[in-house]
Amino acid sequence: MEQTLSIIKPDAVAKGVIGKIIDRFESNGLRIATMKKVQLSRADAEAFYAVHKERSFFGELVDFMISGPVVIIVLEGEEAMAKNRELMGATNPKEAAAGTIRADFAQSIDANAVHGSDSLENAAIEIAFFFAQREIN
């Protein structure tokens, strides 16, 4: 049973599509192990996305992620990480397959509705960043 992290980003939260996105996860065999809605601080966003610190888009990414509340979710199931990435679609919603979360709900490559862990190793790191083990059930 794999676990992975998903974040419903500020653009999707503002659009009021949290429930529609969660339905996509659950309808495709992923279980919500835990979730919470939070407003990230600048320090939180900078630490979480530190891997991108040297990239030109880092400041814009941090600004976007603190622009409104996010919903942070631990998903679990068989091949949860790969399944979540398939459900999300390509990073650029213009390139995302029809019926994916990003094709249906994202505004742009920057405001692209959701984040998903890109490996099981990163999923474990990302989950631990936001949740204590006792919060996951």
Side-chain angles (χ1 to χ4, degrees), residues 15-61:
K15 280 183 174 178
V17 295
I18 296 168
K20 290 178 181 179
I21 292 172
I22 289 172
D23 182 59
R24 300 274 178 105
F25 299 144
E26 292 182 326
S27 295
N28 285 279
L30 295 172
R31 188 179 85 75
I32 307 287
T34 192
M35 70 180 190
K36 59 184 166 186
K37 184 178 181 184
V38 299
Q39 174 70 52
L40 297 177
S41 68
R42 181 167 297 279
D44 290 336
E46 287 176 349
F48 184 75
Y49 286 108
V51 67
H52 299 302
K53 189 169 185 134
E54 301 305 319
R55 295 197 165 155
S56 61
F57 60 83
F58 179 74
E60 292 172 356
L61 175 60

Side-chain angles (χ1 to χ4, degrees), residues 10-135:
D11 58 315
V13 172
K15 280 183 174 178
V17 295
I18 296 168
K20 290 178 181 179
I21 292 172
I22 289 172
D23 182 59
R24 300 274 178 105
F25 299 144
E26 292 182 326
S27 295
N28 285 279
L30 295 172
R31 188 179 85 75
I32 307 287
T34 192
M35 70 180 190
K36 59 184 166 186
K37 184 178 181 184
V38 299
Q39 174 70 52
L40 297 177
S41 68
R42 181 167 297 279
D44 290 336
E46 287 176 349
F48 184 75
Y49 286 108
V51 67
H52 299 302
K53 189 169 185 134
E54 301 305 319
R55 295 197 165 155
S56 61
F57 60 83
F58 179 74
E60 292 172 356
L61 175 60
V62 169
D63 288 344
F64 170 64
M65 291 301 291
I66 66 172
S67 68
V70 298
V71 177
I72 305 166
I73 306 168
V74 176
L75 299 169
E76 66 181 20
E78 290 186 34
E79 299 184 24
M81 194 269 309
K83 190 176 289 188
N84 182 43
R85 295 200 62 81
E86 181 181 328
L87 291 170
M88 287 190 313
T91 302
N92 184 345
K94 292 177 183 171
E95 298 171 2
T100 62
I101 293 168
R102 288 179 172 147
D104 292 346
F105 303 117
Q107 298 172 36
S108 67
I109 194 167
D110 299 315
N112 63 2
V114 287
H115 163 91
S117 301
D118 62 1
S119 70
L120 291 177
E121 295 77 20
N122 283 342
I125 293 165
E126 292 177 351
I127 290 168
F129 184 89
F130 288 112
F131 296 98
Q133 188 58 44
R134 72 182 184 287
E135 296 177 283

